[in-house]
């Protein structure tokens, strides 16, 4: 999996890139939920209100100013019990704009358009050739992966080459993408399944694959296909990346980006030799740097788990549209998460619950919040805890906890209750790679 928000592209506390847009369901969907009685009106209103508040926070509601009161907007949109005023809704939200209104869960997981496949195959072959070239660069391999593991990394690059060539010949079956822009919404560059030898990609990688940035994504995901031990242990450019231990680096997909990035001119560490425990300046990580690195890793795992839940709930939505029955374990997991995220599932009057587009848009807004909070961690103030502590490890753990709360506060909070926000972040962190039942 790769996070497109990671690294140095975005800095600054609660600075949100200009493309931030929360999404809401189409008005007809909301009216249908109200009319069918799937969930109580007060439940629907509270969820819509929260999505509108998150959009408004980012200045993304049409016709609204910073002084606009969301309570007033809600009264305009829902003027009478059981009624949604479509014209009022669409004054604030353009129904044709997929970055504002959720369109199709089917478009969110589909095969690349035939017109996109030739360039995508070329990009994969380019990335494969680069992987092969860097596999012969012993000095470069030693500089990044270290004296003990460089030859394992060399073998890794040969496998990456092999996988990229194989997949480029069968794009129709081995690549999926997302034309509904869910991946943009959740900052998901892509994910890879070693077992299925399958890669899912951000639509801009599929439509514009020949850029260095797109080739990095292809190579990162192919690293996961090369060896099941190659996982995610810290994204490119995050605090402590250059200071990681050899045993971590050789099994971390993002470290396989570095030598190709040097070739393609988009490295953040040009000419550097990575030394475990040392930053780019050559100094050991300070306690504060270790705390911030730990906070970023905490949110990376929470984001990853939230992204997995988002995939799960969208799979369920597709299955429900197809009439495929749900298994009990999946229903149980959804009902466990629903009260944590304030979805509607545990409040519904139907059993099993129906995954509505209100649940889908709420879920993806939470994935997005985890990514934005992660980005805040390097810059939030006051992460040093009050001592004394028995050990540096205890001090770092206490500091990480402060950093996690501070980063969510800098984002502006998620559920209107800092303790509930933290319970959700902790649940996600604790279910990293263990969301699917
Ligand atoms: Zn990954």
């Amino acid at each position: 999996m790769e996070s497109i928000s990671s690294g140095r592209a975005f800095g600054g506390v609660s600075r949100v890139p200009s493309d931030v847009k929360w999404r809401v369901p189409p008005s007809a969907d909301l009216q249908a939920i109200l009319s069918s009685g799937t969930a109580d009106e007060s439940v629907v209103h509270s969820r819509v209100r929260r999505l509108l508040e998150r959009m408004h926070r980012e200045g993304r509601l049409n016709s609204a100013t910073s002084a606009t009161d969301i309570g007033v907007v809600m009264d305009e949109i829902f003027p009478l019990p059981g009624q949604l005023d479509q014209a009022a809704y669409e004054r604030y939200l353009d129904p044709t704009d997929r970055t504002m209104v959720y369109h199709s869960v089917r478009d969110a997981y589909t095969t690349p358009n035939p017109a996109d496949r030739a360039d995508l195959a070329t990009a994969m072959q380019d990335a494969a050739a680069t992987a092969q070239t860097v596999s012969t660069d012993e000095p470069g391999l030693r500089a990044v992966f270290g004296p003990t593991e460089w030859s394992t990394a060399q073998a890794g690059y040969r496998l990456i080459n092999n996988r990229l060539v194989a997949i480029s010949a069968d794009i129709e079956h081995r690549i999926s993408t997302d034309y509904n822009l869910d991946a943009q919404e959740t900052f998901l560059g892509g994910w890879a399944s070693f077992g299925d030898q399958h890669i899912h990609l951000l639509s801009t990688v599929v439509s514009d694959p020949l850029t260095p940035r797109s080739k990095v994504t292809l190579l990162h995901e192919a690293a996961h296909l090369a060896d099941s031990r190659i996982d995610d242990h810290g994204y490119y450019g995050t605090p402590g990346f250059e200071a990681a231990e050899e045993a971590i680096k050789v099994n971390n997909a993002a470290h396989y980006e570095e030598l190709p990035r040097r070739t393609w001119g988009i490295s953040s560490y040009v000419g550097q030799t990575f030394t475990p425990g040392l930053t780019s300046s050559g100094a050991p990580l300070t306690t504060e740097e270790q705390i911030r690195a730990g906070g970023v890793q905490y949110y990376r795992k929470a984001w990853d788990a939230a992204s997995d839940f988002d995939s799960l709930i969208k799979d369920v939505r597709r299955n429900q549209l197809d009439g495929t029955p749900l298994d009990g374990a999946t229903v149980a997991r959804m009902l466990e998460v629903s009260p944590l995220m304030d979805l509607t599932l545990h409040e519904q009057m139907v059993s099993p619950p129906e995954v509505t587009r209100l649940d889908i848009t709420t879920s993806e807004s939470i994935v997005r919040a985890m990514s934005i909070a992660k980005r805040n961690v390097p810059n939030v103030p006051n992460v040093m805890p009050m001592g004394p502590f028995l050990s540096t490890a205890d001090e770092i753990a206490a500091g990480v906890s402060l950093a996690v709360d501070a980063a969510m506060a800098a984002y502006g909070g998620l559920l209107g209750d800092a303790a509930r926000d933290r319970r959700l972040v902790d649940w996600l962190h604790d279910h990293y790679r263990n969301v699917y039942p």
Side-chain angles (χ1 to χ4, degrees):
M1 191 177 266
E2 193 198 11
S3 161
I4 53 173
S5 69
S6 66
R8 296 170 175 175
F10 311 106
V13 175
S14 70
R15 177 185 155 206
V16 174
S18 58
D19 65 341
V20 162
K21 289 159 186 160
W22 305 104
R23 296 192 293 187
V24 293
S27 60
D29 258 49
L30 292 176
Q31 183 62 64
I33 298 167
L34 291 174
S35 302
S36 67
T38 305
D40 189 79
E41 183 160 22
S42 63
V43 171
V44 175
H45 285 191
S46 66
R47 275 53 171 176
V48 172
R49 181 178 181 129
R50 196 162 278 151
L51 287 170
L52 293 176
E53 283 170 350
R54 291 175 192 164
M55 290 183 82
H56 189 43
R57 184 188 301 178
E58 313 299 347
R60 300 308 314 177
L61 291 181
N62 290 345
S63 313
T65 69
S66 59
T68 299
D69 182 340
I70 291 300
V72 172
V73 175
M74 286 292 292
D75 289 344
E76 291 176 31
I77 291 174
F78 298 105
L80 295 166
Q83 294 291 314
L84 181 147
D85 182 330
Q86 184 180 347
Y89 196 69
E90 294 179 359
R91 265 203 304 283
Y92 295 102
L93 301 147
D94 178 354
T96 66
D97 184 346
R98 282 189 202 242
T99 66
M100 299 184 88
V101 174
Y102 197 95
H103 281 202
S104 166
V105 74
R106 294 192 196 279
D107 288 353
Y109 185 86
T110 187
T111 190
N113 289 333
D116 288 334
R117 291 179 197 165
D119 277 356
L120 186 55
T122 300
M124 287 183 164
Q125 289 151 12
D126 286 355
T130 301
Q132 188 64 36
T133 301
V134 302
S135 78
T136 65
D137 174 13
E138 182 178 335
L141 291 164
R142 285 180 176 273
V144 172
F145 294 95
T148 308
E149 298 290 356
W150 73 271
S151 60
T152 307
Q154 177 177 59
Y157 277 114
R158 290 179 183 143
L159 286 168
I160 290 168
N161 164 278
N162 170 292
R163 299 298 188 269
L164 283 167
V165 169
I167 294 211
S168 74
D170 191 16
I171 286 172
E172 184 179 357
H173 299 106
R174 296 203 176 276
I175 300 283
S176 55
T177 190
D178 163 23
Y179 291 116
N180 196 54
L181 311 185
D182 297 26
Q184 276 87 343
E185 192 69 18
T186 58
F187 297 111
L188 178 67
W191 53 257
S193 165
F194 178 80
D196 297 335
Q197 291 287 302
H198 182 99
I199 293 176
H200 183 74
L201 293 169
L202 186 73
S203 61
T204 51
V205 176
V206 169
S207 61
D208 195 13
L210 293 166
T211 64
R213 192 66 196 77
S214 291
K215 287 195 281 191
V216 166
T217 296
L218 295 170
L219 189 132
H220 176 110
E221 300 307 339
H224 291 307
L225 301 189
D227 187 321
S228 61
R229 287 175 304 183
I230 299 179
D231 201 335
D232 293 314
H233 298 291
Y235 289 123
Y236 192 83
T238 51
F241 180 79
E242 73 276 31
E245 299 296 322
E246 283 192 47
I248 297 289
K249 290 187 287 190
V250 75
N251 290 322
N252 186 33
H255 277 93
Y256 286 86
E257 297 176 21
E258 177 55 10
L259 291 176
R261 279 175 178 268
R262 290 182 186 186
T263 303
W264 297 329
I266 53 167
S267 168
S268 301
Y269 309 96
V270 175
Q272 289 184 32
T273 295
F274 291 170
T275 307
L278 300 187
T279 66
S280 296
S281 68
L285 288 173
T286 64
T287 301
E288 180 174 342
E289 285 170 336
Q290 292 180 68
I291 287 170
R292 293 189 191 278
V296 169
Q297 294 303 331
Y298 205 90
Y299 273 112
R300 178 182 67 79
K301 290 184 174 181
W303 170 80
D304 192 293
S307 187
D308 275 354
F309 182 78
D310 196 52
S311 293
L312 174 71
I313 199 171
K314 287 168 178 171
D315 283 345
V316 170
R317 166 91 181 171
R318 280 185 284 269
N319 283 335
Q320 289 189 319
L321 291 172
D322 292 340
T324 307
L326 300 183
D327 65 89
T330 297
V331 172
R333 179 62 97 207
M334 291 198 307
L335 289 173
E336 179 185 1
V337 172
S338 182
L340 291 168
M341 292 187 175
D342 283 350
L343 307 181
T344 74
L345 305 174
H346 64 295
E347 305 270 21
Q348 288 185 15
M349 290 158 237
V350 294
S351 179
E354 179 196 340
V355 173
T356 68
R357 269 193 273 205
L358 193 49
D359 297 301
I360 282 173
T361 48
T362 299
S363 166
E364 69 179 13
S365 77
I366 286 168
V367 187
R368 189 173 180 101
M370 295 301 146
S371 187
I372 295 169
K374 170 162 63 79
R375 212 179 302 150
N376 288 341
V377 170
N379 301 296
V380 286
N382 306 328
V383 298
M384 294 303 290
M386 298 293 283
F389 295 97
L390 291 174
S391 68
T392 306
D394 285 354
E395 184 179 10
I396 290 169
V400 167
S401 184
L402 289 177
V404 168
D405 286 339
M408 181 56 75
Y411 158 67
L414 196 47
L415 302 167
D417 175 337
R420 289 192 65 218
D421 288 348
R422 184 56 190 266
R423 266 202 296 283
L424 174 58
V425 176
D426 287 346
W427 189 95
L428 292 167
H429 170 270
D430 295 348
H431 286 77
Y432 175 64
R433 298 292 162 81
N434 193 24
V435 167
Y436 275 80

